Amino acid sequence: MEESLIFQWSVFRSLLAILQWWCFNVTVIIMNKWIFQKLDFKFPLSVSCIHFICSSVGAYVVIKVLKIKPLIVVEPEDRWRRIFPMSFVFCINIVLGNVSLRFIPVSFMQTIKSFTPATTVVLQWLVWRKYFDWRIWASLVPIVGGILLTSVTELSFNMFGFCAALFGCLATSTKTILAESLLHGYKFDSINTVYYMAPLATMILALPAILVEGSGVINWFYTHEAVWSSLIIILSSGLLAFCLNFSIFYVIHSTTAVTFNVAGNLKVAFAVLISWMIFRNPISVMNAVGCAITLVGCTFYGYVRHLLSQQPPPPGTPRTPKTPRNRMELLPLVNDKLDDKV
């Protein structure tokens, strides 16, 4: 009886974690698109900078004031040698995501972001000369095929937004690969990651945002009809962006990798559906098929990774980040339990 209650509570906790993660993630995406499209605040650098500031303050409150999470101490030298390069890539990743939202529909952007597993595997193969099991490569075929079909049939296609989303995938993959070497020895969770990286990302982005978008933001202040209500929405999106990071920490500790992978792909489908209901962007049948193929491919990729991760390496095989198993790296450096922080 007691074991049954524990199991039921575990299932309920996992569902609750997934639901709150879905809500924060989809809400942040929809709010960002609403800011660009409905509020006519077409300044992705400024929006990203506001998000970084809110995340910096939120992480400080959680760690230093409320002490919900213990601070992982990083040596001052490592902050510039290790954390700063990661913050730079982190900054580019978030900015490119917001830039893509500025020009293309949420449905198209979310589908392209599903291309990240493929870019990560290819980058590791090209840069580190890692070799992967043939099943990893095979699992990427439906992802690539679905992305191609979605891109060709996208009715609201914009080349600039498409390139921003695609390079955003490369930035996400680069961040994952850099984390393996630069953050070696530090076991960061999502909150400590934001605590260290968000202030540096703000510092990196502040000057470009002022130079590129400063005059446009000032003009928006003087010409927009409902400035204060719009500012509340923009600041709320920053607050929710931090809450998204906190929700990731919660869901990581409440689900398995397989559950997280499936839930992540269902979340994309949920975001596509909600965005279509709100913005009514045209979606053709073949475009929807391409999106579905991509999501199925991502789920299959996660399943293959899980199967390969359960296989023990041959006895005597050295286990270092850059040493493949039997000339075959079975597990790519993609953390199934991390989502893009906005």
Side-chain angles (χ1 to χ4, degrees), residues 179-301:
E180 178 71 12
S181 54
L182 292 179
L183 300 185
H184 181 68
Y186 292 105
K187 295 183 178 180
F188 280 115
D189 53 60
S190 58
I191 305 302
N192 273 276
T193 299
V194 174
Y195 178 84
Y196 284 107
M197 292 187 186
L200 291 174
T202 304
M203 183 178 67
I204 292 168
L205 189 59
L207 184 59
I210 292 172
L211 293 176
V212 176
E213 300 177 346
S215 59
V217 172
I218 293 173
N219 183 62
W220 179 86
F221 265 99
Y222 283 106
T223 57
H224 193 69
E225 294 180 357
V227 173
W228 293 110
S229 60
S230 298
L231 280 177
I232 291 173
I233 295 174
I234 294 170
L235 291 174
S236 297
S237 73
L239 177 62
L240 289 173
F242 169 72
C243 292
L244 171 60
N245 289 283
F246 203 75
S247 72
I248 292 170
F249 166 75
Y250 181 45
V251 78
I252 282 173
H253 293 277
S254 303
T255 62
T256 64
V258 175
T259 303
F260 189 89
N261 176 263
V262 175
N265 292 311
L266 289 175
K267 178 212 64 177
V268 174
F270 183 62
V272 169
L273 176 62
I274 296 297
S275 69
W276 177 81
M277 292 173 64
I278 294 175
F279 299 105
R280 294 293 178 178
N281 55 288
I283 300 177
S284 67
V285 174
M286 292 306 296
N287 190 257
V289 170
C291 181
I293 291 173
T294 303
L295 296 181
V296 171
C298 289
T299 305
F300 179 59
Y301 168 80

Side-chain angles (χ1 to χ4, degrees), residues 25 162 298:
N25 191 282
F162 171 77
C298 289

